[in-house]
Amino acid sequence: MAHKRAAGAPKPRLLDIAELSGVSTATVSRVLNGKPGVGDEVRGSVLAALDMLGYARPAILRHKTSGLVGVVVPELNNPIFPAFAQGLESRLSQHGYTPLLCTQSPGGTTEDESIELLLGQGVSGIIFVSGLHADSSASLDRYHDLRGRGIPLAFVNGWAPGVDGTFVATDEAAGMDSAIRHLASLGHTRVGLVIGPDRLVPAQRKIASFGTALADHLGIDDPEPHIFRTLYTLEGGHAAAERLVESGHTALVCGSDLMALGAIRGVRGKGLSVPEDVSVIGYDDSPLIAFVDPPLTTVHQPVGAMCQAVVAAMLGEMDGNPGPRTELLFRPELIVRASTHAAPH
């Protein structure tokens, strides 16, 4: 690990930094002097080269790292949440802000306690990922109070009507349509949905989109017999798969990759195989999900693009340039792997 050079050491050599970061010496000079006109990615590369060579950052750059931004995510057992946390953290760091990560778990720190902790640290803004803003039964007073204090807010995957903040989400309708279209093309006519509680906005949207997709692609008008509501856990997916397989379903669309892994276990527990007997589709495209057995067909959430939009909106808010108050929807992509197959005869 490189060490900082002692006081009185030579100034950073622009040529060394330019060679290591792969840019011109003129670009290095602009970054070190805090000049505009340099992209975030290039700026990050120059600063990384500066650190690797052991040079202390100029005071003008160190001053820009004083901002704190809170990032509140649910429990970390579901790998999609660490993915969002990492994406937000890296993009905030590129802009010179220090992210403060708060996680929640049953019986642990609540969202309100996380908010109080972040306010105590003097954060410049807070980003909520799948928080209480996604729970239609939860009070929105906490967010109105934060806005009353002048704290910029941004939200990922969920909708809180009337709250003054930036909202980004995955387009559930597009994701569900692509999943059902894929299964219908494989000859499946009995498709089940494994989903979380109705009070959660993403679940509500998936359920509504599932009904529309069943009607559009399979001519089924009543989706209720094909929906199993449970928890967003391995165990929830397992229990749902057992019930849906017993009722004759040959394909399952799950509300998360974690549920899908539980569903695969549930199918195997019934003496059947995935995908020969039952096809399974997940949701999220979590890290490492391509390496499970079988590699999981899943709906990919564009985490990188969503994090980029959230951070850009948050920085705009903090600079006094609030973004649009409509919800920004990001189109997901169905990633076809080995957990889906032609319907059994």
Side-chain angles (χ1 to χ4, degrees), residues 163-174:
V163 171
D164 183 19
T166 296
F167 289 82
V168 304
T170 303
D171 187 339
E172 308 286 9

Side-chain angles (χ1 to χ4, degrees), residues 20-98:
L20 186 57
S21 58
V23 301
S24 69
T25 54
T27 299
V28 172
S29 178
R30 295 187 71 83
V31 173
L32 297 185
N33 289 292
K35 301 295 184 182
V38 181
D40 295 331
E41 187 173 344
V42 171
R43 187 182 303 276
S45 297
V46 171
L47 295 180
L50 193 73
D51 295 339
M52 291 176 65
L53 291 171
Y55 294 113
R57 296 188 180 190
I60 190 173
L61 299 180
R62 291 199 301 272
H63 176 71
K64 291 184 178 181
T65 64
S66 60
L68 303 176
V69 175
V71 178
V72 182
V73 301
E75 43 77 27
L76 298 179
N77 291 335
N78 187 333
I80 193 61
F81 297 132
F84 271 113
Q86 184 176 26
L88 292 168
E89 181 178 27
S90 65
R91 285 160 178 81
L92 285 167
S93 298
Q94 287 173 9
H95 290 277
Y97 286 86
T98 301

